[in-house]
Amino acid sequence: MTTGHHHRFRTRIRTRGLRRTTVAGVVLGALALAGVAPALAAAPVAGPATAAVRAPAPATLTVTGTGRAGAAPDIAVISVAVEARAKTGQEAMAAQSRAAEALFAALRKQSVADRDIRTESLSLFPVYTQATDGESKVSGYQASQSVSATVRDVNRTGQVVGAVTKATGDAGRVDGVTFDVADPGALRSRARELAHKDAHEKAAQHARLSGHRLGRLVSLTETDSGRPGVGAVPEASADASGVPLAPGEIEEQVTVTAVYELL
C-alpha cells in the first residue's frame, strides 16, 4: 500500500466515525426534546388571577293594593225553621211534618222553585224538666227542621217571608236572610283589576319619589275577601202580608301584595 492510498483510507475511517458521532448526537437530542415536551405541556401557564364578580341584587319595593266593586244583589236566601213539641217523639215529628208541608206549599206558591228549597237539618230530641227532688225527667220531645230557600226575584223577598210566617204560624221561625249575587265571578274580577291598578300606581309613585324607575313585577299574592254575612230579619206577625227589607249593595273586595324591582 502506497503512502497516498493509506492516507485516503484513514480519512475515510475518520469520516465514517464522524458521521456515526453526528447521527448519535441527533438521536440523543431528539430524545431529550421528547422528554422535555410533556413536561412543558403539563406545566401550568401562569396568568393573572381572576375572581367571579356577582352583580348586586336589585332593590325591590313591596306594596299592597285594594280593589272594591259593588253591585245590587240579585238573589236572597231565606233561612226558616219549623218546630213542634209533643208528649211523644212520634207526635212531635208528626206536628213538625205538618208545619214543614205548610212551609213548602207557601214557598212554591210564591214561585220558589223546588231546586231552590233545601232541608239543612232535621232533629228530634227529648225535653227535660227538673222535678222538686232535683232529678231531671223527660217531659216531652221537640222536633225541628231547618230549611233554606233561594228567592231569585229580590223584590219579592219580603213578600215570601210574610207568606212563610203566615203559613207556619207559631211553629215557624225565620232565622235570617242573606242577600247576594248569583254569579260573583264578574264582581270579583272587577275588584281584582282595581286592586292591581292600585298596587301599580302606588309602586310607580314610590319609585318616582325615590329617584328610581319601576322595574318588572317579581311576585304577586292575593288575599281572599269575606262574603256578605247574614242579615237579621225583624219578627213578623202571622198575618203579615209582607216584611220590609233593605237589600243594600253587595261588595266584593280583593287585596294584593306586589313586589317590584327598582331600576
Side-chain angles (χ1 to χ4, degrees):
M1 181 181 299
T2 62
T3 302
H5 180 75
H6 180 69
H7 177 72
R8 286 196 301 272
F9 178 75
R10 289 171 58 189
T11 301
R12 191 178 298 116
I13 293 175
R14 288 175 182 173
T15 302
R16 291 176 179 173
L18 180 59
R19 289 176 179 172
R20 284 197 295 268
T21 302
T22 303
V23 172
V26 172
V27 173
L28 290 175
L31 291 175
L33 290 174
V36 173
L40 291 175
V45 178
T50 58
V53 179
R54 291 185 178 180
T60 58
L61 172 68
T62 303
V63 293
T64 300
T66 303
R68 295 181 179 88
D74 55 10
I75 61 170
V77 180
I78 304 174
S79 298
V80 188
V82 291
E83 57 186 21
R85 288 190 181 187
K87 287 292 185 179
T88 66
Q90 185 176 0
E91 292 174 343
M93 186 62 74
Q96 177 278 139
S97 296
R98 289 191 295 270
E101 289 174 356
L103 169 62
F104 296 149
L107 290 173
R108 295 186 183 103
K109 191 174 182 180
Q110 292 297 320
S111 301
V112 179
D114 287 344
R115 66 185 178 91
D116 291 327
I117 303 173
R118 181 174 62 198
T119 296
E120 302 292 346
S121 66
L122 178 66
S123 64
L124 174 66
F125 55 87
V127 178
Y128 293 90
T129 58
Q130 191 172 7
T132 55
D133 57 2
E135 293 185 3
S136 295
K137 295 182 179 180
V138 176
S139 59
Y141 290 85
Q142 179 172 309
S144 62
Q145 181 175 178
S146 297
V147 176
S148 66
T150 301
V151 180
R152 299 190 181 275
D153 184 356
V154 176
N155 295 327
R156 291 175 53 83
T157 304
Q159 184 176 340
V160 174
V161 172
V164 164
T165 57
K166 183 177 181 179
T168 57
D170 293 338
R173 185 181 75 245
V174 178
D175 291 329
V177 174
T178 301
F179 291 101
D180 205 348
V181 290
D183 182 13
L187 197 61
R188 187 168 183 83
S189 295
R190 177 57 179 162
R192 185 178 292 116
E193 290 177 5
L194 296 175
H196 273 259
K197 182 180 179 181
D198 183 42
H200 188 272
E201 289 178 352
K202 288 179 180 178
Q205 183 181 19
H206 280 295
R208 184 174 64 255
L209 292 175
S210 59
H212 291 82
R213 290 183 297 108
L214 193 62
R216 68 183 183 91
L217 178 65
V218 177
S219 66
L220 183 72
T221 305
E222 178 178 321
T223 303
D224 290 336
S225 63
R227 297 296 297 141
V230 176
V233 176
E235 291 185 4
S237 60
D239 59 349
S241 59
V243 178
L245 299 174
E249 185 179 69
I250 302 302
E251 183 181 90
E252 187 76 34
Q253 177 175 318
V254 173
T255 301
V256 297
T257 300
V259 180
Y260 290 91
E261 282 187 354
L262 291 177
L263 305 178

